[in-house]
């Protein structure tokens, strides 16, 4: 499995702790994936809302998605909205990746693009 991860510091991005604790704006994540070549692939995503000590407060961790042969060259979107998560969220850890299920010797797993984390009012998350 090949994974990549990013840690987002909300205060560094301009969201002060008081704002996050009081308003608890919706946090929308999205990611696009597709299989490469004529191959079956597995895609996974794991997103955590973390407190000041970088401990999980809420997690989005759906089961792995299998992209079967014949569905390649078709982009798919994975998205989720965190709502009413409570005070204390200071970081977001976004991790995603994949692998080919035939275990070929080269890189033939999923392709990923347009990963996004948005802090937004609930009226904009639909």
């Amino acid at each position: 499995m090949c994974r990549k991860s990013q840690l987002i510091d909300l205060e560094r991005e301009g969201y002060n702790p008081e704002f996050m604790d009081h308003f608890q704006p919706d946090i929308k994540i999205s990611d696009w994936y597709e299989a490469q070549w004529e191959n079956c692939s597995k895609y996974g995503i794991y997103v955590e809302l973390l407190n000041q000590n970088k401990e999980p407060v809420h997690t989005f961790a759906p089961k792995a998605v299998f992209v079967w042969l014949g569905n390649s060259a078709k982009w798919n979107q994975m998205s989720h909205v965190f709502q009413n998560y409570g005070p204390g969220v200071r970081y977001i850890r976004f991790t995603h990746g994949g692998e080919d299920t035939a275990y070929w010797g080269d890189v033939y797993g999923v392709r990923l693009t347009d990963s996004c984390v948005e802090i937004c009012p609930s009226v904009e998350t639909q």
Side-chain angles (χ1 to χ4, degrees):
M1 179 73 102
C2 178
R3 292 186 181 102
K4 59 183 177 174
S5 183
Q6 180 176 1
L7 181 66
I8 300 165
D9 181 331
L10 293 171
E11 190 167 13
R12 181 176 280 173
E13 295 298 326
Y15 299 97
N16 68 48
E18 293 79 22
F19 173 82
M20 293 302 297
D21 290 349
H22 180 73
F23 292 104
Q24 296 177 36
D26 289 357
I27 300 173
K28 181 180 180 181
I29 61 97
S30 63
D31 201 21
W32 289 86
Y33 63 93
E34 78 161 345
Q36 278 194 92
W37 284 73
E38 305 163 347
N39 203 10
C40 298
S41 301
K42 183 167 69 170
Y43 163 78
I45 186 169
Y46 190 80
V47 182
E48 299 169 290
L49 303 185
L50 307 172
N51 66 17
Q52 185 63 38
N53 298 321
K54 298 181 181 149
E55 299 165 333
V57 174
H58 284 279
T59 302
F60 173 64
K63 291 184 180 182
V65 175
F66 288 89
V67 186
W68 300 106
L69 187 64
N71 285 345
S72 51
K74 179 180 180 264
W75 287 95
N76 301 280
Q77 184 180 32
M78 177 67 71
S79 64
H80 177 74
V81 179
F82 291 98
Q83 297 177 311
N84 304 313
Y85 42 82
V89 172
R90 302 295 180 261
Y91 300 92
I92 301 169
R93 182 179 295 127
F94 188 105
T95 305
H96 64 171
E99 67 182 325
D100 84 83
T101 56
Y103 306 105
W104 290 11
D106 210 336
V107 182
Y108 295 100
V110 295
R111 294 193 295 177
L112 305 168
T113 192
D114 269 350
S115 304
C116 186
V117 174
E118 297 175 80
I119 309 295
C120 51
S122 60
V123 295
E124 293 184 7
T125 59
Q126 306 306 326

